[in-house]
Amino acid sequence: MAAAETFYDVIRRQGITRRSFTKFCSLTAASLGLGAGGPAAIAHALETKPRLPVIWMHGLECTCCSESFIRSAHPLAKDVILSMISLDYDDTIMAAAGHQADAILTETREKHAGNYVLAVEGNPPLNEDGMYCIDGGRPFVEKLREMAAGAKFVVAWGSCASWGCVQAAKPNPTHAVPIDKVILDKPIIKIPGCPPIAEVMTGVLSYILTFDQLPELDRQGRPKMFYSQRIHDKCYRRPHFDAGQFVESWDDEGARKGYCLYKMGCKGPTTYNACSTVRWNNGVSFPIQSGHGCIGCSENAFWDQGPFYDRLTNIPYFPVEANADVVGGTAAAIVAGAVAIHAGVTAIRSTIKSGEKTEA
Amino acid sequence: MSRVYTLVKTADAEATPAIERNSVFVYEAPVRTWHWVNAILIVVLIVSGYLIGSPPPTLSGEASAHYQMGYIRFGHFAAAQLFIVASLYRVYWAFVGNEHARQLFYVPFWKRWYWYEALYELSWYLFIVDKPKKWVGHNPLANLAMVVLFTFLSLFMIVTGGALYAQGAGNDTLWMTIFGWVFVIWPNSQEVHTLHHVGMWVMVIFIVLHVYAAIREDIMSRQTMLSAIVTGDRYFRD
Ligand code: HEM
Ligand code: HEM
Ligand code: SF4
Ligand code: SF4
């Protein structure tokens, strides 16, 4: 495999036409929000830059990120990106297996040291020295550290790699941790979601591969271009929210009319993701459009911010499952009761006292 | 710094001894005005905040015909911004006002006499001692309650509320610059919502205790309370 091979060479070798290639460039530029010169810049980069190998590893996870990825709405994006990356390593979808597959890891690490992208789906569990996730006879965490050491960029796919997701939900028996707890010295980009939206995944990967740098990240390490606004900010049911028109139960008139799902526990107001703009499955729909609230799948520890179906969620760190109104309301009632009793005692005592005084 | 005067007993070498006088000027006009403006704002914040968490029953008809949630949230945000401004003003007044204006921000935590007096005050509330002492500003126990349950809590509400507001205002706003760090501590803002909501209940508890204590002390203690926060003068009964 010649190191000097460009993306364009690879793409053409896969039988993709020049015409499709330019279309892909325009499409990607548009989805990344690049300006008028965007398509040309992408085309130029892909034609001249040597291909950046991508290694895709799987830790504790459910493979929903891969499932989402291979369903990238635009067939062009899918073909192009897949042809770019399947050349290297992805144990779930590549042809090689066993020692052959492991050999690719070693080869990439040696041949492209410091010059490949490590994409991680899932996360490493740390308990029992990482024994809860064995990959090729070794704890996944060891393999992860090894491959990260030579990587140029690390991509954290999905909520597992980014935040921990379900396996890290309380009480987290395997001590699963997001990858940035293990990989400390590499630039990491987080693409949270359970799974992330396919177009977001391919868009980010295209950006990294073409420009050889990470896109601008926010405070939590997510690409600003896709995670700058909450579902609620762009939700098409938002006018019903502002009006005060809510679904109150799953089969009511409001549900049929498509009112806001806030009272049904929609987490749109606290969730940063592109669902309400990019949508899912070729832009067909997204959960809210299908009548179900957002569960906040791209947010940190969303499993511990339940219930999914109540607006007021349980207080974290509180031993009993109860929301702020239950705990606060009870506490306020107790204090009010104590105040009433105190007032009563005060009144009785002063009556007795004034009685004593008149008697004396 | 602010000092608590005991008029009856000199518990501390620094405390000034009793003066033969039956009224004393405590709260200056700006503090009194702030108190009542602040009280109104907080009531608005509690009512509107509660409704944000549990909105009224759904409205029917065209969405364009209503703006109910919009008005509730507007009320909350408008009161919140005034609350922030009023709080900043109150901090400013702690610097330029008299020493009672500073009590809200200071507890003589490291002074022995302070804890002795606070305990004494607690025994008065628990009916253990029969006669409270006289104080010009807040009594030591009230001082503690004010700083913990009001000042810290207000700061907490401003910080968590400001962070939630920043999410609506947008990532590139001054709000996010000032309050964005909150999401380093609590990355999922649903948690910030919950904590902000718990804060509301703590504020409710403060108000219940505060209003009860103010009225009870006004009747039972050896000095007036309500006059101090209405006209600024406190009268001693004996
Ligand atoms: C939302 C409601 C209220 C809040 C948040 C509140 C808050 C406060 C605060 C922070 C102070 C201390 C002022 C300072 O040290 O500068 C204070 C003092 C005072 N407040 Fe309120 N207040 C509220 C309602 C009321 C009401 C309804 C009354 C009347 C019954 C009242 C009576 C007083 C009195 C008498 C003082 C002076 C206490 C003293 O002399 O030691 N407050 N309040
Ligand atoms: C004593 C002061 C305050 C009280 C009692 C209060 C109370 C509340 C409550 C109960 C909620 C509903 C939380 C939920 O369950 O989602 C809320 C929401 C909110 N509050 Fe406050 N708040 C106070 C001050 C502030 C301040 C200073 C700000 C700053 C701008 C603020 C901004 C917000 C925002 C942005 C929301 C979320 C609104 C939404 O999601 O639509 N609050 N508040
Ligand atoms: S359905 Fe959810 S995201 Fe949409 S407006 Fe209502 S609360 Fe916001
Ligand atoms: S709408 Fe919410 S829960 Fe659904 S996929 Fe998007 S971020 Fe995840």
Side-chain angles (χ1 to χ4, degrees), chain A residues 176-200:
Chain A
V177 293
I179 61 166
D180 61 355
K181 290 277 187 297
V182 172
I183 304 169
L184 304 169
D185 54 353
K186 295 286 167 182
I188 299 181
I189 179 171
K190 297 182 169 183
I191 317 293
C194 191
I197 304 170
E199 286 68 32
V200 171

Side-chain angles (χ1 to χ4, degrees), chain A residues 140-152:
Chain A
F140 172 67
V141 60
E142 282 180 16
K143 257 184 151 170
L144 179 66
R145 285 207 179 98
E146 220 170 81
M147 289 311 292
K152 186 165 194 180

Side-chain angles (χ1 to χ4, degrees), chain A residues 230 232 238 241 262 269-270 311-313 324-325, chain B residues 41-54 69 73 76-77 79-81 83-84 150 153-154 157-168 175 179 190 192-194 196-201 203-204:
Chain A
R230 299 167 301 173
H232 189 61
R238 181 64 186 264
F241 171 85
Y262 188 75
T270 55
R311 171 59 207 154
L312 302 181
T313 50
D325 274 0
Chain B
L41 290 177
I42 286 187
V43 170
V44 173
L45 283 167
I46 288 174
V47 173
S48 59
Y50 180 82
L51 291 175
I52 289 172
S54 310
M69 214 40 196
R73 292 173 75 243
H76 194 75
F77 303 156
Q81 302 198 11
F83 176 67
I84 293 173
F150 181 78
L153 179 63
S154 297
M157 294 311 277
I158 289 174
V159 164
T160 51
L164 295 178
Y165 192 78
Q167 292 200 311
W175 288 94
F179 295 109
Q190 182 68 24
V192 181
H193 273 268
T194 304
H196 191 71
H197 206 118
V198 170
M200 173 193 79
W201 285 108
M203 188 61 94
V204 168

Side-chain angles (χ1 to χ4, degrees), chain A residues 310-327:
Chain A
D310 284 325
R311 171 59 207 154
L312 302 181
T313 50
N314 295 335
I315 303 175
Y317 328 114
F318 197 72
V320 183
E321 284 197 358
N323 68 35
D325 274 0
V326 172
V327 175

Side-chain angles (χ1 to χ4, degrees), chain A residues 194 208 288 306:
Chain A
C194 191
I208 299 174
I288 291 166

Side-chain angles (χ1 to χ4, degrees), chain A residues 219-220 228 230 233 238-246 248 259 262-263 267 270 272 299-300 302 305 311-317 324-325 328-329 331-332 335-336 339 342-343 345-346 349 353, chain B residues 50 52-63 66-70 73 125 127 130 167-168 171 176 180-181 183-184 186-191 193-194 197-198 201 205 208-209 212 216 220:
Chain A
R219 201 187 296 263
Q220 301 194 21
S228 280
R230 299 167 301 173
D233 293 322
R238 181 64 186 264
H240 292 300
F241 171 85
D242 289 332
Q245 297 180 313
F246 303 103
E248 308 257 8
Y259 285 175
Y262 188 75
K263 287 190 178 177
K267 302 291 181 291
T270 55
Y272 285 89
E299 285 294 315
N300 192 312
F302 76 101
Q305 298 296 329
R311 171 59 207 154
L312 302 181
T313 50
N314 295 335
I315 303 175
Y317 328 114
D325 274 0
V335 169
V339 160
H342 197 269
V345 174
T346 307
R349 279 176 58 103
K353 248 200 215 153
Chain B
Y50 180 82
I52 289 172
S54 310
T58 192
L59 297 173
S60 53
E62 284 298 320
H66 311 285
Y67 195 58
Q68 192 184 66
M69 214 40 196
R73 292 173 75 243
Y125 282 111
F127 310 107
D130 266 348
Q167 292 200 311
N171 274 345
M176 206 38 116
W181 57 269
F183 301 112
V184 176
W186 298 292
N188 188 336
S189 74
Q190 182 68 24
E191 194 166 348
H193 273 268
T194 304
H197 206 118
V198 170
W201 285 108
I205 290 172
V208 169
L209 293 174
Y212 171 64
R216 180 180 188 270
M220 304 295 298

